[in-house]
């Protein structure tokens, strides 16, 4: 059976780097994440962390084009 989860990392070794990236993004937007389960944060907080991550990825890509 295949894993169709959108959370599936293509490179499993990247999990630690993605966790660090998520924590940095959360810190930048003022969301207090802890290691492990964070189901107690609001949808707005989770969205702001994800949005910050996307913003940083786009900036990194655009800087790589220069």
């Amino acid at each position: 059976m295949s894993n169709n989860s959108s959370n599936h990392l293509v490179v499993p070794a990247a999990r630690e780097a993605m966790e660090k990236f998520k924590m940095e993004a959360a810190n930048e937007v003022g969301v207090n994440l802890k290691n492990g389960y964070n189901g107690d944060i609001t949808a707005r907080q989770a969205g702001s962390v994800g949005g910050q991550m996307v913003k940083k990825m786009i900036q990194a890509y655009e800087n790589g084009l220069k």
Side-chain angles (χ1 to χ4, degrees):
M1 184 171 210
S2 68
N3 183 355
N4 292 328
S5 171
S6 63
N7 281 353
H8 181 71
L9 293 176
V10 176
V11 181
R15 183 166 308 283
E16 186 176 323
M18 286 301 294
E19 284 297 316
K20 181 180 177 196
F21 181 52
K22 178 172 61 175
M23 292 297 203
E24 289 173 1
N27 188 43
E28 290 172 7
V29 294
V31 175
N32 187 24
L33 290 183
K34 53 192 173 291
N35 288 327
Y37 180 72
N38 284 288
D40 56 338
I41 66 172
T42 67
R44 176 176 287 237
Q45 289 171 317
S48 65
V49 172
Q52 182 68 7
M53 291 174 71
V54 170
K55 180 179 175 183
K56 290 179 68 149
M57 285 186 269
I58 291 170
Q59 286 174 338
Y61 176 78
E62 287 176 342
N63 288 338
L65 292 176
K66 294 179 183 177

